[in-house]
Amino acid sequence: MRSSQRDRERSFAESGEAIAEVLLSCLKAINIPESLWYLLYTIDEVLREDESRAAHFLRVVQRNGAECAGREAEEGKRWLEYYKPVLRVVAGTDNATDVPSLHARWRAISVLRVLLGSDGCEAEELLAAQQRQCITEVLRTVARESRSLPDELAERGATAPTSTVLTLRAAAVQASLELLQRLLMLRSCREFFLAARGLELLVSAPLLCPRAPIFVDTPLDVQYRAMFALWMLSYDRSLGSRLRWETVQDESVTVYSASRPAKGFVRELVAILRRSQKTRVVRVGLLLLRNLLDTGLNQQMIDVGAASVVETLSAKAWPDPDIHTDAEHILAVLRRELVALSNWGLFRQGTFSRRSLPPS
């Protein structure tokens, strides 16, 4: 793959499927870690150059999976053979600190992000099994790194090699969340993700409210990617009941405002919208809030002051005009809810304010 970009484009245009089959066959056959890492680097560069090439890889896997399905007693057993080496690299080890293996993990997740996130996969039952296994490994990676990274990044006096290792581990978290963003567009993946307690991981403090600068600064904007994944999940209308908790019952689902534990997810989401200055964070936060309307969370939104926060956001100038559209929709629903409540009901809940008074 040392040819020029023009030569690669011509080669893939003429025989893209054959090239993909060679690369995937090597991927399945290689056992030497260093050779596997180099091959992953090559595939990742090919796909980064043009993500539409993923279609060639997908056709090869689909064709071989269809051929194997009839011969295997356990349907789809050999379907996973192509990606098992990649999943092994993604899983890694808990004490992997050398730069090459961490770089390989990042590349492996990046490859899966494109290959398993391609459009048109939802109807493929065999590929869904592959996606489920991938989600399991990615959740383990994110959980492992998000638990330890913030403390390690906060330590002072880190040497240059250590900084490189931490940066690569943070990049792996970012790539993992990008992969989840794509997979969660598929209904079957959303159902499995929720069953695997992925929701609790997304609303945990290190991802939803990161304190480490490397998790906040662009392009490693973990908060945005966690909220994007939550937005994908919010298309499941049953999600509202899972986010209705108002008291901390399990440390694994605790989110934070500054240094204080929040009482619930809705409260934290509104707090993020109140203090964030990033257009894309505000945009996806409003989209998430909009999807959660009328799922049993309207009252909580009113209780935590969502209406005033959204009203303030609506009054600001944003480069994305859709922010104002979403803000107005949310306000209309919450105002309708407020009208339905009596002033005495508002007073009892502690939400009575001048805004609640009827115009004189």
Side-chain angles (χ1 to χ4, degrees), residues 26-87:
C26 292
L27 190 65
K28 190 167 60 171
I30 290 176
N31 293 315
I32 301 172
E34 290 77 7
S35 300
L36 177 60
W37 297 347
Y38 182 78
L39 182 59
L40 285 172
Y41 174 87
T42 302
I43 296 175
D44 188 35
E45 290 298 308
V46 162
L47 295 175
R48 283 175 183 268
E49 200 171 75
D50 183 359
E51 288 195 6
S52 67
R53 293 171 183 170
H56 300 303
F57 291 84
L58 187 59
R59 279 195 290 270
V60 172
V61 177
Q62 285 175 331
R63 186 179 64 247
N64 283 275
E67 291 171 358
C68 295
R71 297 195 301 267
E72 294 288 339
E74 194 176 330
E75 188 180 64
K77 185 177 179 183
R78 292 183 56 188
W79 180 274
L80 293 169
E81 285 186 6
Y82 283 109
Y83 296 131
K84 276 183 179 177
V86 190
L87 291 171

Side-chain angles (χ1 to χ4, degrees), residues 9 50 60 93 118 128 130 176 183 199 233 236-237 249 258 268 308 319 326 343:
E9 287 175 354
D50 183 359
V60 172
T93 59
S118 300
Q130 195 164 260
S176 299
L183 293 183
L199 176 63
L233 285 174
D236 183 337
R237 299 297 288 174
Q249 297 176 344
E268 191 57 49
S308 61
D326 292 325
N343 287 343

Side-chain angles (χ1 to χ4, degrees), residues 293-313:
L293 288 171
D294 299 323
T295 62
L297 295 173
N298 290 15
Q299 183 61 59
Q300 279 192 19
M301 293 180 193
I302 293 171
D303 291 346
V304 301
S308 61
V309 171
V310 175
E311 190 174 3
T312 301
L313 292 173

Side-chain angles (χ1 to χ4, degrees), residues 260-333:
R260 261 197 335 257
K263 288 186 178 179
F265 170 76
V266 174
R267 189 181 300 272
E268 191 57 49
L269 175 58
V270 172
I272 290 170
L273 288 171
R274 180 184 290 113
R275 62 178 177 257
S276 181
Q277 300 298 318
K278 293 184 179 181
T279 300
R280 62 178 182 171
V281 171
V282 171
R283 171 80 173 113
V284 76
L286 288 175
L287 286 169
L288 174 56
L289 202 61
R290 179 171 181 167
N291 276 8
L292 293 175
L293 288 171
D294 299 323
T295 62
L297 295 173
N298 290 15
Q299 183 61 59
Q300 279 192 19
M301 293 180 193
I302 293 171
D303 291 346
V304 301
S308 61
V309 171
V310 175
E311 190 174 3
T312 301
L313 292 173
S314 179
K316 292 182 179 180
W318 297 98
D320 186 346
D322 289 337
I323 286 180
H324 296 96
T325 304
D326 292 325
E328 289 303 319
H329 177 85
I330 294 167
L331 281 173
V333 174

Side-chain angles (χ1 to χ4, degrees), residues 12 26 36 42 59 134 137 156 171 185 205 229 241 293 302 348:
F12 270 93
C26 292
L36 177 60
T42 302
R59 279 195 290 270
C134 180
E137 296 300 342
R156 296 183 180 181
M185 293 180 184
S241 60
L293 288 171
I302 293 171
R348 287 188 62 187

